[in-house]
Amino acid sequence: MYDLPDVLPDVQIDPGTNVLVAGPPLTGKRRIAFDILASGANDGNGSTVVTTKDSANKVLESFDDHIDDDVEPNVGVVDCVTKQRGIGTIDDDPRIKYASSPVDMTGIGIKLSEFLQDFYETRGLTKNRVLLHSVSTLLMYSDLQTVFRFLHVFTGRIQSADAMGVYVIDSTAHDDQTMNTLKQLFDAVLELEEMADGEEPAIRTAGFST
């Protein structure tokens, strides 16, 4: 089982579960997603981030801010940004693997599988958490049908690996039909709602069991 002590303290999540984190901009979706990933890393889980928005180095810096000081996390990043920007020569290393762009969905899937295989088979990590940040960026580059097919395969890979998948989406960037179509792919949804100035966003959940 996977737990979410900093987000939903009373919730236990079955292996193979895929969770969508949705909400408007500036409601803390990214922070909550990193909290979910980091709470596992602090307990020795493997952590993989597929980033379609920020470079791997920026992601690793942000992730380290969420990790306990005495923890050396097992973390990997699939960077879909840096090669597209075309800055210098880019080679994979133990913590970072590069896809050519957010459109390179085959490459993204291959790099993710390499990390999961390394964590599970080589390092013996039977619990792994995977973050995709963000689905909205994928939809900027590809149509809904293409992204749906990709996420169908991606969520299936999480399920077969007994991992936990976390996916971030800007709910206000897409129409209701798009959101409802995508929600079919996920076992649970954590939805953030904007509140008045100075108030923490409200969290609505669906599909979670306590």
Side-chain angles (χ1 to χ4, degrees):
M1 301 291 280
Y2 293 87
D3 58 9
L4 310 175
D6 298 324
V7 182
L8 299 172
D10 299 324
V11 167
Q12 292 280 307
I13 292 179
D14 292 328
T17 296
N18 290 284
V19 179
L20 182 66
V21 180
L26 305 177
T27 48
K29 300 183 297 298
R30 184 176 184 274
R31 176 180 55 80
I32 284 177
F34 270 99
D35 282 345
I36 292 172
L37 210 64
S39 67
N42 288 329
D43 283 338
N45 296 183
S47 305
T48 305
V49 182
V50 177
T51 174
T52 62
K53 294 188 74 170
D54 299 319
S55 70
N57 289 332
K58 186 173 180 180
V59 167
L60 288 169
E61 285 176 16
S62 297
F63 189 61
D64 285 345
D65 290 340
H66 293 255
I67 299 297
D68 293 344
D69 291 340
D70 58 344
V71 171
E72 188 65 40
N74 290 285
V75 59
V77 180
V78 180
D79 181 333
C80 311
V81 176
T82 302
K83 275 194 174 181
Q84 187 183 33
R85 292 174 179 165
I87 306 169
T89 304
I90 309 293
D91 295 313
D92 290 357
D93 67 39
R95 295 184 94 191
I96 305 171
K97 299 181 186 295
Y98 295 93
S100 60
S101 76
V103 180
D104 180 20
M105 296 182 185
T106 301
I108 294 169
I110 290 170
K111 301 298 185 183
L112 170 66
S113 293
E114 289 175 356
F115 273 126
L116 288 175
Q117 186 173 5
D118 176 42
F119 287 162
Y120 196 91
E121 294 182 7
T122 306
R123 306 192 200 188
L125 302 172
T126 57
K127 296 178 77 173
N128 290 277
R129 302 187 185 209
V130 178
L131 167 61
L132 194 160
H133 185 271
S134 85
V135 176
S136 295
T137 309
L138 295 178
L139 288 164
M140 285 171 54
Y141 289 94
S142 302
D143 60 49
L144 175 60
Q145 187 177 12
T146 301
V147 173
F148 185 92
R149 284 199 305 266
F150 166 70
L151 289 174
H152 185 266
V153 174
F154 196 109
T155 53
R157 190 168 280 130
I158 298 298
Q159 193 171 10
S160 63
D162 282 340
M164 175 185 172
V166 182
Y167 309 74
V168 176
I169 191 167
D170 178 356
S171 57
T172 58
H174 316 291
D175 59 34
D176 289 345
Q177 183 178 354
T178 298
M179 290 298 298
N180 290 333
T181 299
L182 292 173
K183 282 179 181 179
Q184 299 172 48
L185 294 164
F186 302 99
D187 306 295
V189 179
L190 195 158
E191 202 146 1
L192 300 169
E193 296 181 340
E194 270 185 308
M195 302 296 284
D197 288 348
E199 292 186 34
E200 282 288 311
I203 298 178
R204 288 192 304 136
T205 60
F208 290 97
S209 56
T210 55

